Amino acid sequence: MSWVSDYQYTCLQKLALNTLQFSGQIPHHIAFVMDGNRRFARSKHIDKIEGHSRGFSKLADVLRWCLDLGIREVTTFAFSIENFKRSSDEVEGLFNLARDKFAQLLKETDRLDEHGIRIRVLGNIELLPADLQRLIASAMLRTEHNDKLFLNVAFAYTSRDEITQAVESVLHATNENDDDGLLPTDINERLLEACLYTRHSPPPDLVFRTSGETRLSDFMMWQIKSSVLYFTEVLWPQITIWNFMAGISAYKRDSSRIDDFRREQRLHSAQLAKTSDFYSLRVQKFLHKLDANRRKLLIALASN
Ligand code: FPP
Ligand code: MG
């Protein structure tokens, strides 16, 4: 199963998708919590890793629907740091699935290029086995020139860890005694936000969680302060295009109320981001170095 499926729409589905696309605002960025793979596996009497594998196939359909609807950014929660507490069989099974899928991605980069898909893995990837780190780093570097759809895979991720990493980066820079150091007065929300794994992404407009759980599970807690939350009972491997469109419609209903506020916020951030006084020269230098160091790390991991 490829990362982007060849989903075949029925005429009715195509019509419904087109209607949704051209009636009002669609979300720019959707974050999916793909929950319910093991309950699905139990209900079908299949192994739980097969349940996760069917979950991946569904992700490939969902990506196709997002591409066709014109969504620009998708973030998906594939492996929480909390998941390390699961049985070693399951953790190893999930890593094998990820190895398989990232290796396959590297073989089908032409297809990703054709759709302009850039893969970014959000998380503390140094917690992962070295061979998986290498595959992930290679996939990120190989697709870094694409910019039509950003696919962020949260892997070895929790918000608490992400925020801790951001604080560590800032602390490290305030302890530097050279010109690249930060001053305590440079520390504010915008600086911390710029140090998160998602620093190059707008916040999700919609968070979509399957399986009836109405929790956030330490996922993008910083980023979702104004996101619309949509919960559905359906288990992730069973989600249909109709469930997907129901989530988009719920977003449209909710966002029509908060749209003006959100638009103003985006405009404000975009204007500020363009001005050099948004960040001082010192902070700009620090952020530039942070990006360069993270890229250097990817190059080192990819060549390990
Ligand atoms: C949650 O269901 C799902 C996961 C913990 C794993 C999701 C991973 C995939 C769909 C594969 C993704 C792989 C890549 C490379 C992107 P659950 O296990 O919590 O199921 P339950 O809620 O029924 O117990
Ligand atoms: Mg679960």
Side-chain angles (χ1 to χ4, degrees), residues 106 133-143 298 301-303:
L106 289 167
Q133 291 184 30
R134 189 177 61 246
L135 288 166
I136 286 174
S138 306
M140 286 169 76
L141 290 168
R142 175 57 188 81
T143 60
L298 289 184
L301 294 178
S303 54

Side-chain angles (χ1 to χ4, degrees), residues 3 34-40 42 52 55-56 59 76-78 83 86 90 94 97-98 101-102 153 155 211 236:
W3 280 67
M34 312 183 283
D35 199 16
N37 292 350
R38 292 183 303 183
R39 275 167 280 169
F40 169 77
R42 267 198 302 277
H52 291 311
F56 179 86
L59 175 62
T76 184
F77 202 6
N83 292 152
R86 293 189 177 188
E90 185 176 356
L94 276 164
L97 181 63
K101 297 307 173 190
F102 282 106
V153 179
F155 209 101
S211 92
W236 175 259

Side-chain angles (χ1 to χ4, degrees), residues 14 54 93 107 130 132 149 158 163 210 232 235 273 277 285:
K14 192 85 199 152
R54 304 271 186 99
K107 284 191 208 135
L132 187 50
L149 186 135
T158 57
I163 294 166
T210 53
T232 174
L235 304 175
D277 55 7
K285 231 170 128 183

